[in-house]
């Protein structure tokens, strides 16, 4: 019996098995879910919003006094600027506009996560500062993608997929001229950090530092 052949087959099988488990772990990772959610929102925007009217800018990283902030989608139109935060989640979602954290419940498992309205508020304030425009012309939009159900009454700007598009279309008052829209797009493009691995890595490093600082602060208070 040729044991070498058997050992090679076993090693190959273990390699495939390891690759399979890595693939499954990647699919379940928060990063992959986030990327998938953003991709699905991109598709929604491209299908249901007229690109001649609503101009999409994706994955915008802007510098702040504390580091950087990353915005999933910015839509610039005559009807205002829409800053979209995407959440790819499942289960029951509990939350309110004024709450610091919201709750995700899947069967008996409960998880707390940052209020996305508060998260998007920072994005809007940063964008407002970069553009030097009235905050009334910037709208916060939270879009939930995935098999989730709101178990509490949500504000009008917190919606499931198509509901987010409907909310954007509900703004029909002209705020900007065509020239102003072009100027805003140019300002955002010129003010953003160059998209790519390096920018993403710097932003992730900044977020991890903020989380650690917050965790250390809570420990000190205790």
């Amino acid at each position: 019996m040729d044991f070498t052949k058997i050992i090679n087959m076993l090693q190959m099988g273990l390699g495939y098995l390891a690759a399979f488990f890595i693939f499954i772990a990647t699919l379940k990772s928060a990063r992959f879910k986030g990327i998938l959610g953003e991709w699905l929102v991109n598709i929604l925007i491209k299908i249901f919003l007229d690109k001649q009217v609503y101009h999409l800018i994706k994955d915008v990283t802007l510098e702040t006094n504390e580091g950087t902030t990353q915005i999933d989608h910015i839509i610039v139109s005559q009807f205002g600027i829409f800053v979209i935060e995407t959440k790819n989640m499942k289960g029951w979602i509990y939350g309110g506009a004024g709450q610091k954290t919201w709750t995700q419940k899947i069967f008996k498992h409960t998880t707390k996560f940052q209020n996305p309205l508060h998260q998007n508020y920072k994005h809007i304030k940063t964008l407002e500062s970069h553009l030097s425009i009235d905050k009334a012309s910037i709208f916060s939009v939270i879009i939930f993608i995935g098999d989730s159900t709101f178990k509490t009454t949500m504000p009008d700007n917190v919606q499931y997929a198509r509901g987010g598009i409907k909310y954007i279309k509900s703004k029909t008052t002209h705020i900007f001229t065509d020239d102003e829209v072009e100027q805003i797009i140019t300002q955002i493009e010129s003010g953003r950090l160059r998209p790519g691995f390096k920018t993403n890595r710097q932003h992730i490093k900044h977020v991890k530092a903020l989380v650690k600082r917050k965790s250390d602060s809570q420990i000190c208070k205790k």
Side-chain angles (χ1 to χ4, degrees):
M1 184 179 290
D2 189 350
F3 287 104
T4 305
K5 221 177 246 188
I6 296 173
I7 291 169
N8 287 338
M9 288 176 66
L10 285 172
Q11 288 176 335
M12 188 179 295
L14 288 172
Y16 284 130
L17 191 62
F20 173 75
F21 282 118
I22 290 170
F23 175 70
I24 294 299
T26 301
L27 290 180
K28 291 184 176 180
S29 70
R31 178 63 182 160
F32 178 81
K33 288 178 181 177
I35 292 171
L36 177 61
E38 290 171 24
W39 180 77
L40 290 171
V41 170
N42 285 341
I43 298 298
L44 280 171
I45 292 169
K46 288 179 180 179
I47 292 175
F48 297 107
L49 290 178
D50 184 350
K51 64 180 181 181
Q52 300 300 322
V53 178
Y54 299 93
H55 307 274
L56 173 63
I57 309 173
K58 301 178 292 183
D59 300 324
V60 178
T61 304
L62 299 173
E63 288 183 319
T64 70
N65 293 332
E66 298 177 345
T68 58
T69 191
Q70 202 166 56
I71 305 173
D72 296 339
H73 309 87
I74 299 173
I75 295 175
V76 184
S77 74
Q78 289 183 331
F79 311 111
I81 302 168
F82 301 90
V83 178
I84 302 174
E85 174 65 25
T86 304
K87 291 295 177 187
N88 185 4
M89 306 182 79
K90 60 181 180 179
W92 291 352
I93 306 296
Y94 299 83
Q99 294 179 344
K100 188 175 181 180
T101 59
W102 287 9
T103 303
Q104 176 193 36
K105 191 166 185 178
I106 304 174
F107 299 110
K108 293 183 179 180
H109 183 70
T110 300
T111 305
K112 298 285 186 182
F113 62 99
Q114 185 184 4
N115 180 341
L117 290 167
H118 292 182
Q119 188 177 354
N120 219 24
Y121 177 77
K122 181 182 179 182
H123 297 159
I124 289 171
K125 293 303 291 182
T126 303
L127 192 60
E128 180 189 335
S129 174
H130 274 260
L131 298 176
S132 300
I133 59 173
D134 185 358
K135 63 181 179 181
S137 61
I138 306 178
F139 300 98
S140 175
V141 187
I142 312 299
I143 296 182
F144 275 78
I145 295 289
D147 187 20
S148 60
T149 304
F150 298 146
K151 301 301 285 186
T152 49
T153 302
M154 294 293 180
D156 290 341
N157 59 337
V158 179
Q159 296 282 346
Y160 302 116
R162 287 287 299 277
I165 301 298
K166 187 177 179 181
Y167 174 80
I168 292 170
K169 285 185 173 181
S170 72
K171 304 300 178 183
T172 56
T173 302
H174 282 73
I175 298 174
F176 302 119
T177 64
D178 286 335
D179 288 342
E180 287 172 331
V181 167
E182 289 298 326
Q183 185 181 351
I184 290 167
I185 293 170
T186 301
Q187 281 183 271
I188 294 172
E189 291 288 6
S190 61
R192 72 191 297 190
L193 296 180
R194 185 176 180 181
F197 175 75
K198 184 178 179 181
T199 296
N200 287 337
R201 185 178 62 183
Q202 288 176 341
H203 177 67
I204 291 169
K205 184 178 179 181
H206 168 63
V207 171
K208 286 181 178 179
L210 286 178
V211 171
K212 185 178 185 303
R213 198 181 310 156
K214 189 178 292 184
S215 176
D216 292 344
S217 175
Q218 288 173 346
I219 292 171
C220 288
K221 286 179 182 178
K222 288 180 181 179

